[in-house]
Amino acid sequence: MQRRVTGLTAAVAVLGMAGVLAGCGGSGDSGDVTLKLVAADYGDSAANSSKKYWDRLSKAFEDENPGIKVDVTVLSWNDVDREVKEMVKKGDAPDLAQIGAYADYAAQGKLYEADELLSIATQADFMAPLSQAGEVKRIQYGMPFASSTRLLFYNTKLFKDANLTPPQSWSQLQSAAKALKARGVKIPYALPLGPEEAPAETLMWMLSGGGGYTDNVGSYDIDSKQNAKTFSWLRDELVGKGLTGPKAPGRMNRAEAFAAFSRGEVGMLNGHPTLMKMAAKKGVKFGMVPAPGINGKPRATMGVADWMMAFKQNGHRKEAGKFLDFVYSKKNVLEFSNEYDILPVTTSAFDAMAKDRGHTELGKFLKELPTSQLYPVGKTSWAQVSADIKNNIGKTVTRNGNPSMVLGQIQSKAATAENAE
């Protein structure tokens, strides 16, 4: 997923007709309705732009539902969240948006609840971890659209040359990194704690050390003893021993780390399905295993999701719900997931993909999804906390870094932001 596995933006303009629909029930009786959807682009070129998927989907829906049109605008991930935010600010919210975050809009009372839109069967079909992550105060507003998990990628040629096997624990990861360094590998382990996607690498390491961003009741727990221990280990046992390459982790971004792996310069790093295509395209042979934990496989890996939401402003609840039931059919979820090598968000599509692709490389990511842990995206404070992590987490692993102090400062700001909700 940033992100991110990936994201969608859809901008929708109401038809300039006299019969504007009002009220949360929609108004199919007053004439045709045009749903405006803003969606993010999961493609990496014009040839595989998500616009093609949405055009096909919209036409198929319109053929089955005379009187409802779907006007789709697809934007890049660099622009989509900002553009939707501006639309909402100007009072021109789309009916539907598929973007990176929903909680702020839910807190402002601008979104329909999922059970006001979806059939019972559709809502019940969402994968449990993803459905729960779409809730604000136990009410679902965010509907997962795309998901991803992370695995440890390793360069099989470099490992074979050094007579190494994939690590299953921190100590094994360190030993492998030392062996790779001794053989002249430029970046034995890539640790991207730079601002592009620091919250992802941070959460993966927190989980592997038995911690996380929140405790068992959902309160921020960023400065827990487990998290402080994790970043102290990274500082002393990886970064401090020169096993993360010449560039400081706080200045290393995910995209840069992926590109270096695809050039054969990295021994190991955490990655999502997109990296499979990047590496294969460059001819780099790789393997993938669950991320090592402090003493073995951790209880959960990190999951990410992008979100669909429906705005109340235009009153098209009924029509938006009908379209969303269509979007989340098994056939359509599978088509999108297969097109972009991402993981399905519904149980029906998950089961179908597992049956069809469970023994492929993507199947390794599928196995991690049911127990994955996502960012605390249901907190309206998360956007602010995430920005703080991007700016500061790299300081924990500098030579004189103080993980407990840095994590404590992030925790303090997180608590303040949470209390201000």
Side-chain angles (χ1 to χ4, degrees):
M1 5 179 19
Q2 204 131 35
R3 207 150 334 315
R4 226 165 271 294
V5 176
T6 52
L8 282 177
T9 314
V12 203
V14 183
L15 283 177
M17 56 176 64
V20 176
L21 304 182
C24 64
S27 60
D29 297 336
S30 301
D32 287 354
V33 168
T34 295
L35 294 173
K36 303 170 188 176
L37 165 69
V38 179
D41 197 348
Y42 288 77
D44 56 13
S45 68
N48 71 342
S49 170
S50 299
K51 182 72 164 60
K52 294 183 177 181
Y53 170 82
W54 284 110
D55 285 347
R56 292 195 306 269
L57 189 76
S58 298
K59 184 180 186 305
F61 174 77
E62 290 169 356
D63 288 346
E64 292 184 15
N65 296 274
I68 306 177
K69 302 294 182 183
V70 184
D71 177 16
V72 182
T73 300
V74 173
L75 304 176
S76 77
W77 270 115
N78 294 330
D79 302 322
V80 65
D81 289 280
R82 183 185 68 252
E83 290 293 328
V84 170
K85 185 176 182 179
E86 286 300 310
M87 292 174 194
V88 174
K89 185 177 180 180
K90 292 175 182 177
D92 188 27
D95 294 290
L96 298 161
Q98 194 277 303
I99 52 180
Y102 66 87
D104 282 353
Y105 301 123
Q108 295 167 28
K110 297 182 181 297
L111 302 180
Y112 287 117
E113 298 174 16
D115 60 8
E116 294 180 293
L117 298 159
L118 305 173
S119 68
I120 293 174
T122 297
Q123 190 174 5
D125 199 24
F126 288 130
M127 298 286 292
L130 304 178
S131 180
Q132 292 165 7
E135 296 177 354
V136 174
K137 297 180 179 178
R138 300 187 181 278
I139 297 175
Q140 185 179 2
Y141 296 93
M143 293 159 279
F145 183 78
S147 66
S148 177
T149 56
R150 303 297 167 94
L151 293 171
L152 181 76
F153 282 67
Y154 62 96
N155 183 308
T156 53
K157 181 180 185 303
L158 296 178
F159 265 60
K160 183 178 180 181
D161 290 346
N163 196 29
L164 296 171
T165 56
Q168 298 180 358
S169 66
W170 288 2
S171 60
Q172 290 177 8
L173 185 146
Q174 185 202 48
S175 296
K178 285 180 177 179
L180 293 169
K181 181 182 179 182
R183 295 184 64 84
V185 175
K186 184 177 181 181
I187 307 175
Y189 178 85
L191 182 66
L193 294 177
E196 179 195 1
E197 205 189 18
E201 187 75 12
T202 297
L203 181 55
M204 283 183 276
W205 276 100
M206 284 180 170
L207 291 171
S208 74
Y213 284 130
T214 58
D215 59 21
N216 292 334
V217 295
S219 299
Y220 283 120
D221 197 26
I222 296 168
D223 62 347
S224 68
K225 290 181 179 179
Q226 295 98 320
N227 292 340
K229 182 178 180 181
T230 292
F231 283 90
S232 294
W233 187 88
L234 286 171
R235 178 197 61 195
D236 299 337
E237 304 301 330
L238 282 189
V239 181
K241 287 184 166 48
L243 302 178
T244 55
K247 192 167 187 176
R251 294 191 293 112
M252 167 76 78
N253 281 322
R254 191 273 319 264
E256 183 180 356
F258 278 21
F261 185 83
S262 299
R263 292 193 300 268
E265 298 173 355
V266 175
M268 300 171 281
L269 82 171
N270 290 318
H272 56 63
T274 301
L275 184 56
M276 294 191 299
K277 283 187 175 180
M278 290 179 62
K281 189 175 181 180
K282 295 290 186 178
V284 172
K285 303 296 183 182
F286 60 88
M288 300 180 301
V289 294
I294 186 169
N295 293 312
K297 183 179 177 181
R299 58 185 173 83
T301 188
M302 189 197 77
V304 294
D306 302 323
W307 303 95
M308 179 74 78
M309 62 214 69
F311 288 89
K312 293 179 179 179
Q313 182 177 322
N314 299 322
H316 296 157
R317 178 188 64 81
K318 180 180 179 182
E319 293 82 3
K322 184 172 290 189
F323 179 64
L324 289 171
D325 279 337
F326 186 79
V327 168
Y328 285 108
S329 70
K330 181 174 73 172
K331 173 182 177 294
N332 289 326
V333 172
L334 272 175
E335 181 181 346
F336 191 86
S337 299
N338 284 320
E339 175 71 21
Y340 296 104
D341 270 342
I342 56 178
L343 305 185
V345 297
T346 61
T347 300
S348 59
F350 175 90
D351 290 344
M353 181 178 279
K355 182 178 181 180
D356 181 48
R357 304 181 70 178
H359 299 293
T360 67
E361 293 295 80
L362 189 63
K364 296 179 181 179
F365 290 93
L366 278 170
K367 292 176 182 177
E368 301 298 315
L369 184 59
T371 58
S372 63
Q373 184 169 320
L374 283 71
Y375 298 143
V377 290
K379 294 179 177 291
T380 57
S381 59
W382 171 244
Q384 182 177 335
V385 175
S386 176
D388 196 24
I389 292 167
K390 290 179 180 181
N391 291 330
N392 294 294
I393 197 68
K395 299 174 184 176
T396 62
V397 296
T398 59
R399 178 177 296 179
N400 297 314
N402 186 327
S404 294
M405 183 179 72
V406 174
L407 293 172
Q409 292 170 344
I410 297 173
Q411 170 70 23
S412 179
K413 289 183 181 180
T416 299
E418 182 76 356
N419 292 333
E421 288 187 7

